[in-house]
Amino acid sequence: MKIWQLLSPKNLTRGDRDLPALTSGYAKVKITRALLSESDAAVYSGAKKVKYPVIPGRYAVGQVVETGADALFNKGDRVYLADATDNEEAESGVDVAGETKDGFYRDFVCVSASEAYALPPTVSDEAAFLIDAVATAEKIVDETGVEAGRHVLVVGGGLYANILCQILIWHRAVPVLADNNAERLTLAKKCGIYYTFPYDDTLRENLLRITGGMLADAAVYFAFSNKSEPSRVFSLVRRGASAVFCARTEKSVAINLENAMKNDVTVKCVSDNREYISSAINDLANKAVTYGEFTFKQSSEEALPAALEKYAEGDASVLNEEINIFKFIF
C-alpha cells in the first residue's frame, strides 16, 4: 500500500508498505478522504512527540473493498474511521491515530468493528468530518446535565463551539455564544444560533438580561486558539453551575479557581468522545446540524506536504477554530 510517513519532524516521505493479511472479523478499507487536523500539524512539526516512523492522519473516511470472515461490514460500505481506540498496554489506555499508532495518510487500512463506523447514505463525506465535533458536543451536553430551557454560555466561536450550540438547540437548551471574532458570530447567526455576543465587559449584562438576572446555568470554554481569559466564565454562571473546559489535543490552560470556589462551580474537562460517535452519526443523519454555511476545501494528495508545512510554521490551532476543513483525496 502507498503511505505518507514521517521519519523525523518535518521529514515526510512517500513510500510503500505491505498491508497485513485480512483476518477474521476485519475489513479492508480504501481510504478516500483524510482530514488535516491540528494534531497532524503538531506531529509533523515535532511539537507532539511520537515514535518514528509514523503515518500521520487522525481523521478519515473510506469504503470497504474486502471483508474477512465474520466481519460486521459489507463490501461497498462507506465508513468513518475511529481516531482513537482502546489499548490497555498504552500509557493512557488509548491509541490515537497518527500519534501512538499509524494514522490514515495511506490508501488502505484493515479495521475491525471497533475501529470503524458505517455511514448511512444521508451522511455525506463532508458531514462525516463533523462527527468529531458533534460527538464532543454530545459528551459536553451529558457532562453539563443541562435540561431543556437552560442557558449555556459557550466561549469560542470556532467550528466546535458552533456545532455545540446547534446540538444544544437540538436538545432544547439555550446556547449563548461569546467570541470576539465578528465574522464567526455572523456565521453563527446564519446557522440559527440566536444569542451571540462579544466576549467583553458587556457580556455579563447581556446574560443577566436574557436569563432574568440568573446568569448562565453552565459554561463551556474551548481551549483551542481561544485567547479569552478562561477563569472569567466562573463569574458568568449561577451559583452551583458547572463549567467545562474542552480540547481535543493537549493544551496548557492556566485557570484561577477563586471564583469557582466562591460560587461552588463544578469544573470538568472533556477531551475524549469515543462513546458518542454513534450518537453523532445519528444526529447528522437526522439533520441536527446545519453546515451549509461552512467552507469545505478539497485538495489533491500532492498538496499534503505543503499544507502540513504551512500549518506547522504558523498557528496550527486555527485548524480547529476556523470553519475551513481540508481534505486530501488519495
Side-chain angles (χ1 to χ4, degrees):
M1 64 177 174
K2 297 180 176 64
I3 64 172
W4 285 102
Q5 65 178 344
L6 272 171
L7 304 178
S8 59
K10 296 191 175 183
N11 185 9
L12 184 71
T13 63
R14 180 76 181 269
D16 293 284
R17 184 185 295 181
D18 291 337
L19 187 68
L22 195 61
T23 57
S24 177
Y26 280 77
K28 181 180 179 181
V29 174
K30 172 72 171 72
I31 295 175
T32 54
R33 289 180 171 88
L35 187 70
L36 174 56
S37 70
E38 181 185 10
S39 172
D40 302 320
V43 169
Y44 174 80
S45 69
K48 176 68 178 179
K49 304 304 179 185
V50 298
K51 183 178 180 180
Y52 300 104
V54 66
I55 300 174
R58 183 162 178 173
Y59 304 103
V61 296
Q63 187 171 36
V64 175
V65 294
E66 187 180 351
T67 59
D70 300 320
L72 300 180
F73 298 104
N74 296 313
K75 185 177 179 179
D77 283 350
R78 278 189 318 124
V79 294
Y80 173 77
L81 297 165
D83 71 297
T85 52
D86 291 328
N87 180 359
E88 294 181 356
E89 297 180 0
E91 183 178 349
S92 64
V94 178
D95 267 338
V96 178
E99 295 183 13
T100 57
K101 70 173 183 176
D102 283 330
F104 302 124
Y105 288 165
R106 48 178 159 165
D107 54 0
F108 290 103
V109 63
C110 289
V111 296
S112 67
S114 65
E115 300 171 294
Y117 299 80
L119 293 171
T122 51
V123 177
S124 67
D125 283 354
E126 286 78 8
F129 284 112
L130 301 176
I131 289 172
D132 190 68
V134 178
T136 299
E138 285 288 4
K139 179 164 185 178
I140 290 172
V141 169
D142 268 5
E143 289 294 328
T144 57
V146 173
E147 300 174 350
R150 299 294 187 178
H151 294 84
V152 182
L153 172 63
V154 180
V155 180
L159 174 64
Y160 279 65
N162 187 306
I163 294 295
L164 172 60
C165 289
Q166 294 194 53
I167 292 298
L168 285 166
I169 293 171
W170 179 254
H171 286 282
R172 298 185 296 163
V174 183
V176 181
L177 181 62
D179 187 61
N180 284 327
N181 184 303
E183 291 183 2
R184 292 201 292 250
L185 293 181
T186 298
L187 179 69
K189 287 284 191 184
K190 292 179 180 179
C191 293
I193 302 165
Y194 185 75
Y195 292 118
T196 61
F197 301 110
Y199 192 69
D200 58 20
D201 292 338
T202 66
L203 179 56
R204 182 179 174 84
E205 188 61 34
N206 283 321
L207 279 170
L208 289 169
R209 175 173 55 82
I210 65 176
T211 63
M214 299 296 292
L215 293 174
D217 297 288
V220 181
Y221 182 95
F222 282 96
F224 296 138
S225 60
N226 200 337
K227 302 298 193 297
S228 304
E229 166 53 48
S231 310
R232 189 165 168 248
V233 300
F234 301 134
S235 62
L236 297 170
V237 295
R238 63 171 176 78
R239 183 172 181 80
S242 59
V244 176
F245 294 86
C246 177
R248 290 292 286 127
T249 55
E250 294 176 4
K251 293 289 180 183
S252 177
V253 182
I255 301 174
N256 185 333
L257 294 176
E258 180 181 358
N259 284 330
M261 297 174 70
K262 186 185 300 182
N263 292 328
D264 198 24
V265 175
T266 300
V267 177
K268 299 182 179 182
C269 297
V270 167
S271 62
D272 183 15
N273 61 22
R274 284 172 294 154
E275 296 179 1
Y276 294 83
I277 292 177
S278 294
S279 295
I281 293 172
N282 184 64
D283 287 347
L284 289 163
N286 285 287
K287 311 302 181 186
V289 172
T290 297
Y291 58 91
E293 297 293 337
F294 297 171
T295 300
F296 293 85
K297 286 188 177 180
Q298 295 199 56
S299 301
S300 65
E301 179 190 354
E302 289 73 21
L304 179 57
L308 281 166
E309 183 68 23
K310 172 185 174 182
Y311 288 101
E313 290 297 320
D315 183 6
S317 63
V318 300
L319 289 168
N320 276 330
E321 280 296 297
E322 290 185 347
I323 301 304
N324 293 335
I325 294 177
F326 295 84
K327 293 174 297 194
F328 297 87
I329 304 170
F330 289 76

